Amino acid sequence: MRVGAYIDGLNLFYGGRSICGRSQAGWRWLDLRQLALRLIGGVPSWVAQGAVLDRVVYCTAFVDGRRNSNGRSHQDRYVAALRHHQSFDRILVGRFVARVVRSPLAVAGRDRKPKVVTSQWPIMVQDSSGVDVPDAVFMASHIRSEEKGTDVNLASQLLVDVLTERVDAAVVITNDSDLSLPVRESRLRVPVGTVNPSNRWLAGDLAGQPNDGVGGHWWRQLSATDFTSCQLPNPVGTLSKPTGW
């Protein structure tokens, strides 16, 4: 039973930060292959079928070094360590796109949803004649950085491998609901393990039933122990783990 592991790298990183703590050390130097093996080994039905990790596909994007030189340096070192340690078989790289956008100024409301800020005392907008304009909307110009391509790369490689029978089962590590269609289509053809790498509820569109399609599916949420027990050696060759990692 050849298993492919398909990893949404950014979702995994930010999910790990939510589970383990942003300032907590000991979880970022993650061995992707060891994590995938740990997940597969925890599913008795797959182990009984002779599940073997056949490939690890790592989908990520590199942060903009002009805006975050330290973060980019650490990410470059980590990916180099993964490559040297053969922790993935293929890496598919998306990109970050930054643009200036204008949007209404907002704060988080009681329900945590955006609430548009409007003019009221002590800050009030006045028209040219000095008359107050209550409930005027403040427009803000700001930089918006968006990641592009990671979910498409993961979806494409997953479907290519399933449809060409490159794998007999798949582990998908993400909590991105945009991947619901390729995951559902894959479940029609092979058993799929869906792994939520965050401390949030599983995205509803990624849910399902164990007997959907060909059956044999499972769902799992990562824990802090999953991260801390699957660390790369330090150093990997000449590559040392960044301080605080």
Side-chain angles (χ1 to χ4, degrees):
M1 185 180 185
R2 300 163 301 165
V3 182
Y6 304 86
I7 301 172
D8 182 338
L10 294 175
N11 211 259
L12 177 62
F13 172 78
Y14 287 109
R17 195 166 74 175
S18 72
I19 292 171
C20 301
R22 182 168 187 165
S23 60
Q24 184 66 37
W27 62 271
R28 291 174 175 83
W29 199 240
L30 185 63
D31 185 339
L32 304 178
R33 188 175 300 279
Q34 187 178 349
L35 176 63
L37 287 170
R38 176 184 175 89
L39 293 168
I40 294 169
V43 185
S45 61
W46 282 24
V47 173
Q49 296 178 68
V52 175
L53 181 60
D54 185 73
R55 65 185 334 216
V56 177
V57 178
Y58 182 45
C59 302
T60 191
F62 288 94
V63 299
D64 187 347
R66 294 169 299 180
R67 299 181 59 197
N68 185 357
S69 59
N70 195 50
R72 177 58 184 267
S73 175
H74 289 174
Q75 187 181 22
D76 285 343
R77 193 189 314 178
Y78 173 58
V79 172
L82 290 175
R83 192 186 305 276
H84 184 83
H85 196 63
Q86 299 181 345
S87 191
F88 58 73
D89 297 288
R90 188 174 190 193
I91 184 171
L92 299 173
V93 180
R95 67 189 189 281
F96 279 96
V97 176
R99 56 173 60 91
V100 176
V101 297
R102 295 174 182 172
S103 56
L105 189 65
V107 295
R110 292 183 178 180
D111 58 359
R112 303 181 68 87
K113 294 182 180 179
K115 179 182 178 182
V116 175
V117 175
T118 57
S119 61
Q120 54 186 319
W121 291 109
I123 299 178
M124 178 59 70
V125 175
Q126 294 183 336
D127 61 21
S128 58
S129 63
V131 177
D132 292 345
V133 182
D135 297 327
V137 174
F138 298 97
M139 297 299 296
S141 177
H142 60 97
I143 295 176
R144 175 182 295 168
S145 181
E146 295 179 296
E147 182 276 323
K148 299 287 187 180
T150 297
D151 54 355
V152 174
N153 288 339
L154 192 155
S156 300
Q157 190 64 65
L158 172 64
L159 287 175
V160 167
D161 287 356
V162 169
L163 293 173
T164 61
E165 300 182 354
R166 174 72 172 75
V167 297
D168 305 309
V171 174
V172 181
I173 303 179
T174 188
N175 198 32
D176 186 346
S177 60
D178 289 344
L179 291 167
S180 60
L181 178 59
V183 169
R184 287 200 309 270
E185 288 297 318
S186 296
R187 288 176 187 152
L188 298 176
R189 297 163 174 84
V190 300
V192 177
T194 306
V195 181
N196 176 3
S198 75
N199 65 351
R200 299 180 179 180
W201 293 103
L202 175 72
D205 288 342
L206 294 177
Q209 298 297 322
N211 58 352
D212 287 343
V214 299
H217 315 300
W218 50 268
W219 287 258
R220 172 96 140 69
Q221 186 167 23
L222 294 184
S223 67
T225 302
D226 291 319
F227 286 89
T228 57
S229 64
C230 296
Q231 296 291 292
L232 292 165
N234 186 32
V236 175
T238 60
L239 299 162
S240 298
K241 179 170 66 173
T243 302
W245 274 41

